[in-house]
Amino acid sequence: MKSCLSKLILCIFSVLIILPACERQGNDAAADKMDGIVINEVSPSPGIGKEGWVELYNKSEHTIRLKGLRILLSTNEFIEEKVATLKEGEIKAGGFYLVSTEAVDFSLPFLRATFTELGIADADGYSLDVFTPSIDIGSTEKPADGGSYARLPDATGDWTLTATATPGSPNFKLVPHTLTSLVINEVCPSGKWIEIYNAAAFEQNLEYAMFTSPGNVLLCQVPAGVTIEAGGHLALDCEGEDANFSNFTFYDNTGSKKIVEFSASGLGTLSEDGAWCRLPDGTGAFRTTTSPTKGTTNIVESNSLTGLVINEVSLAGWVEVCNSSIEQINASGLVLKSGSTTVGTKGATSIPAGGKVVFDVAVTGNETFRLCGKDGTEVSTFSNGDVKKDSRTANASTSWSRLPDGTGNFYTVPTPTKGEANYGIEEGNTIAIWVRRSDAMTFDLEGLCKNGIGNIILHEWALKDNGTAKVNAICARAHQLGMRVHFWLQCFWWNDDIKWRLPVIDRSGSTPARYNQELFDEVIGRALGYMDLDIDGIHFDYIRFGGTASKHNWPEDGITGIGAITEFCRQANSRLKGKDPDIILSAALMGERGSQNAYGQDPAQMTQYIDVILPMAYISSYNYSQSVNVTVANWFADRCNDKQCWHGISTYNSNTQGLSKAELLRDCSNITSSRAHGIALFRYGLGDIPNLTGMFAR
């Protein structure tokens, strides 16, 4: 139907302008010059005084001159069919050309919304392409103001209605994408490109997101189908001689939501081929560089040895050096000395930021090592006295490692990492995580160790589900990594069937109130049984009332809710430490200040018998601000006597969505400004755990 209608229109047009014939005849060579031109986008006039336009696309592999190209237009009234001939213009291979009133002799408006068919023909009248909305779109809907009819993809795709017209640019149909954790990572004005880094833990769809400079000048737009992987780099080329690279904004594909801004103010003057780049890559501040790294990790090289440190020493016979700076260091001629004796040298050596070089040398543990430049300048030293003293014995299976890697203090750790980033758990580590029974056989123990988490709080039903041998295997592997395992007991609340089991037997008539010794014996008895496992601690959860402690005060009988919880702690301490004086006793507390009368938990009284309290001051539960959470942490820490407080932190938000590494690192780092001694994360399996190594190391 469409082809017949098109031929009919073209025949009528040919009569009006005395064309030779409807079909291609005569000089084929001349006609072939326009083969490949198609109608790509159409935006009718949306109202009086507004102009419509047609966008052409060149599918051929060569530039086409447009002089003589005919525009064929039909409206609802057949007699209003028009023909116009382009007077000039050309269209490059793969390029766009906009046809508007200025290019043709149609009277205003050039293209009314009531048009029924639009065609283009070459100078001989041979049809090149036809667009008929009723057939190609099959809908009575028309583009809204600012929209268009468009092919998707350009030149070859089907016609569709779009809300955003793209005159002279690639067509797209907007599907808004939520973008997060994207940063401007490198800007190179001379090369006219901008690099984005994806700091999120997931791939993101960037299609049609855009960069604009002041005055809403478009620098560039991300092509269709472009994504950026987690931790990935994407460099985008920008057009225009006057593009402003010193001040621009990155918007999402709607053009309305600002993602990130860039300003070169105060960043320093670039060399002719230089760039502004973040160091460290993706996270650091902007620096100038003479060696841009388009689409890859940012690197700036320095000849200064500042930042090189002795990082790890092993009795197995090696000394590791780390580049703790943010620049790549040219370290040619590096020398390692034991006292005044040279024991190792390095020739041509370039060490990237965070990179390592290793000297294989004899280590007795008593010598002092000195790292020097080739001119003898001392850069870093190590002696056994630099190691934080603990009960661990150094041997060939351990190392003295800086924690955190490259910057921290030296600790004896059972996890040597020759030539790799240091990880390990310092003795007395105060970072913990709760692990549910369902995760007991699958959780990543090594991964937690590498993130500086030294205490596993494992639910007691891991034993019921998996047996003694498997639980002891977890404990053994944890101990090999320098970690501790605490068995997690539910005390006075069990499940929705049993619910609360009160630690007070209330007065009944003339029968006085008393503490629930039977319940105490049952819970403590379970704990005693678990101590036959190769565990390091017992953790008491639900060691409280369900908010009703004050209702179980019987002063005439010497019984109170607070007294009940304290008495349980006293008995647990006596019986459990009587079996093993080194067992670590910990307890989870509700994260509310001054709530003793609600839950019976008085931290000052409990820490007479409990080694570590863990206030569950979850931001997701209480909606504490960062500053209030520090205040809460201080309140509990100040009531610990000489015991410890590990502040509880939720790994998820109020919608039970896991936090990102950046979000969780923010919450954990915030507590370092408090008087708490450590942190405990609830829970494994929700949220992306960041590297917390050394965060509370003494």
Side-chain angles (χ1 to χ4, degrees):
M1 177 177 178
K2 176 179 174 181
S3 60
C4 293
L5 178 61
S6 301
K7 287 183 179 181
L8 176 60
I9 293 172
L10 284 171
C11 285
I12 294 172
F13 287 157
S14 67
V15 172
L16 292 174
I17 60 175
I18 318 177
L19 294 177
C22 289
E23 300 297 332
R24 180 185 295 274
Q25 294 178 4
N27 191 347
D28 288 339
D32 285 341
K33 291 181 180 179
M34 291 189 179
D35 285 349
I37 299 178
V38 296
I39 301 169
N40 195 52
E41 188 173 10
V42 179
S43 181
S45 169
I48 297 174
K50 296 184 178 180
E51 184 179 341
W53 48 266
V54 177
E55 179 190 82
L56 307 179
Y57 185 92
N58 182 1
K59 294 196 300 182
S60 78
E61 297 180 354
H62 57 274
T63 297
I64 296 177
R65 290 161 41 117
L66 295 175
K67 183 178 181 180
L69 182 76
R70 302 180 181 194
I71 309 297
L72 318 170
L73 182 65
S74 176
T75 65
N76 281 335
E77 297 297 329
F78 193 75
I79 59 173
E80 292 187 18
E81 292 160 348
K82 299 180 180 180
V83 177
T85 302
L86 294 190
K87 306 169 186 175
E88 59 185 4
E90 67 177 25
I91 181 169
K92 295 180 180 180
F96 304 92
Y97 187 86
L98 209 61
V99 179
S100 60
T101 302
E102 296 177 357
V104 297
D105 56 5
F106 289 153
S107 60
L108 287 173
F110 160 50
L111 185 63
R112 296 180 184 274
T114 54
F115 85 97
T116 58
E117 188 166 71
L118 177 70
I120 56 174
D122 65 18
D124 292 331
Y126 183 78
S127 177
L128 298 171
D129 196 17
V130 176
F131 169 58
T132 309
S134 62
I135 297 175
D136 292 310
I137 297 291
S139 169
T140 58
E141 295 182 24
K142 299 184 183 302
D145 192 3
S148 68
Y149 300 107
R151 290 184 187 270
L152 284 177
D154 286 293
T156 60
D158 294 332
W159 284 94
T160 186
L161 284 170
T162 68
T164 305
T166 57
S169 301
N171 295 340
F172 67 88
K173 188 170 185 177
L174 190 66
V175 178
H177 296 291
T178 299
L179 301 177
T180 185
S181 302
L182 294 171
V183 298
I184 306 299
N185 196 48
E186 191 168 6
V187 179
C188 183
S190 63
K192 293 190 176 182
W193 53 264
I194 300 168
E195 180 188 88
I196 304 172
Y197 174 78
N198 181 11
F202 47 85
E203 183 179 74
Q204 300 192 68
N205 190 337
L206 293 182
E207 64 176 7
Y208 308 129
M210 62 193 77
F211 292 95
T212 63
S213 57
N216 203 32
V217 176
L218 182 67
L219 292 179
C220 63
Q221 188 165 41
V222 181
V226 173
T227 61
I228 183 169
E229 63 184 5
H233 303 75
L234 176 66
L236 295 163
D237 294 316
C238 302
E239 300 294 334
E241 293 296 326
D242 299 323
N244 184 351
F245 288 90
S246 62
N247 187 5
F248 58 83
T249 304
F250 183 49
Y251 287 94
D252 70 354
N253 59 6
T254 68
S256 60
K257 184 177 180 182
K258 185 184 299 182
I259 306 302
V260 65
E261 294 178 290
F262 173 82
S263 173
S265 177
L267 296 186
T269 303
L270 294 178
S271 63
E272 182 178 353
D273 298 320
W276 294 294
C277 69
R278 288 188 185 273
L279 285 179
D281 183 71
T283 60
F286 277 102
R287 298 274 301 276
T288 60
T289 178
T290 57
S291 303
T293 53
K294 185 178 182 181
T296 61
T297 302
N298 293 345
I299 297 173
V300 172
E301 184 156 291
S302 170
N303 290 320
S304 170
L305 300 183
T306 301
L308 292 183
V309 295
I310 296 176
N311 193 50
E312 190 172 8
V313 178
S314 173
L315 291 173
W318 49 269
V319 174
E320 177 192 88
V321 173
C322 172
N323 176 6
S324 64
S325 77
I326 61 175
E327 299 179 331
Q328 180 165 293
I329 293 178
N330 181 356
S332 298
L334 206 59
V335 176
L336 182 69
K337 295 185 176 184
S338 177
S340 59
T341 303
T342 297
V343 293
T345 59
K346 295 293 179 183
T349 303
S350 187
I351 311 174
K356 312 290 189 292
V357 293
V358 176
F359 292 89
D360 291 311
V361 297
V363 180
T364 66
N366 296 319
E367 63 269 71
T368 296
F369 288 107
R370 299 168 55 234
L371 182 68
C372 303
K374 60 184 178 181
D375 62 355
T377 303
E378 186 175 282
V379 179
S380 179
T381 64
F382 169 84
S383 70
N384 189 262
D386 296 330
V387 181
K388 292 291 182 179
K389 300 305 179 186
D390 55 35
S391 64
R392 291 176 176 169
T393 302
N395 55 49
S397 297
T398 68
S399 71
W400 293 306
S401 296
R402 287 187 187 270
L403 297 177
D405 180 67
T407 60
N409 294 317
F410 281 99
Y411 298 91
T412 304
V413 298
T415 48
T417 52
K418 183 179 182 180
E420 299 177 0
N422 294 350
Y423 74 90
I425 304 300
E426 73 280 7
E427 188 176 66
N429 177 282
T430 57
I431 302 178
I433 191 166
W434 280 276
V435 178
R436 299 181 305 169
R437 58 187 289 202
S438 57
D439 296 314
M441 291 297 109
T442 57
F443 77 101
D444 184 4
L445 197 59
E446 280 76 6
L448 293 176
C449 176
K450 289 180 179 180
N451 282 326
I453 298 174
N455 295 270
I456 306 300
I457 305 175
L458 182 62
H459 196 278
E460 60 182 318
W461 273 16
L463 178 64
K464 176 182 176 181
D465 295 344
N466 303 289
T468 300
K470 290 183 178 179
V471 170
N472 275 338
I474 293 173
C475 296
R477 180 56 183 150
H479 293 156
Q480 289 173 354
L481 294 169
M483 305 167 79
R484 297 178 295 200
V485 178
H486 309 253
F487 234 47
W488 169 11
L489 275 69
Q490 290 182 225
C491 296
F492 306 147
W493 183 92
W494 194 249
N495 55 41
D496 288 334
D497 294 326
I498 299 175
K499 296 189 177 179
W500 289 104
R501 299 181 295 172
L502 297 177
V504 168
I505 303 297
D506 292 326
R507 170 179 278 272
S508 177
S510 60
T511 304
R514 65 180 178 87
Y515 296 134
N516 190 343
Q517 190 61 48
E518 293 81 5
L519 176 58
F520 292 177
D521 290 342
E522 187 273 323
V523 176
I524 295 172
R526 290 204 329 262
L528 284 167
Y530 296 147
M531 288 175 65
D532 293 332
L533 298 167
D534 191 17
I535 61 175
D536 304 276
I538 295 291
H539 175 70
F540 297 116
D541 193 9
Y542 290 104
I543 182 175
R544 61 182 176 87
F545 290 82
T548 62
S550 62
K551 296 181 179 181
H552 302 281
N553 292 337
W554 301 96
E556 65 271 37
D557 299 324
I559 300 297
T560 65
I562 293 174
I565 302 303
T566 304
E567 175 59 16
F568 173 82
C569 293
R570 186 193 69 78
Q571 291 188 27
N573 179 286
S574 176
R575 296 174 65 183
L576 299 179
K577 286 189 178 283
K579 183 173 182 176
D580 180 0
D582 295 326
I583 195 74
I584 301 168
L585 301 183
S586 62
L589 276 65
M590 293 296 285
E592 303 165 34
R593 292 169 288 177
S595 60
Q596 295 93 319
N597 288 328
Y599 306 113
Q601 296 176 320
D602 186 328
Q605 294 194 42
M606 293 174 70
T607 50
Q608 296 177 77
Y609 311 107
I610 298 295
D611 301 308
V612 186
I613 60 168
L614 288 71
M616 302 176 293
Y618 304 152
I619 291 177
S620 61
S621 300
Y622 296 106
N623 293 316
Y624 287 148
S625 66
Q626 297 290 315
S627 60
V628 170
N629 213 15
V630 168
T631 301
V632 171
N634 286 335
W635 189 90
F636 282 97
D638 291 343
R639 286 159 177 78
C640 277
N641 300 308
D642 59 346
K643 304 299 176 59
Q644 291 196 350
C645 172
W646 300 353
H647 195 70
I649 294 176
S650 53
T651 60
Y652 49 88
N653 61 21
S654 57
N655 295 319
T656 324
Q657 297 171 323
L659 299 179
S660 68
K661 284 185 179 181
E663 291 169 325
L664 192 49
L665 182 61
R666 172 203 62 199
D667 290 351
C668 294
S669 299
N670 179 55
I671 299 303
T672 62
S673 64
S674 76
R675 291 185 287 278
H677 308 88
I679 52 176
L681 307 180
F682 187 83
R683 60 176 171 78
Y684 183 87
L686 269 179
D688 202 352
I689 308 298
N691 192 340
L692 307 173
T693 299
M695 183 165 283
F696 286 89
R698 66 191 191 284

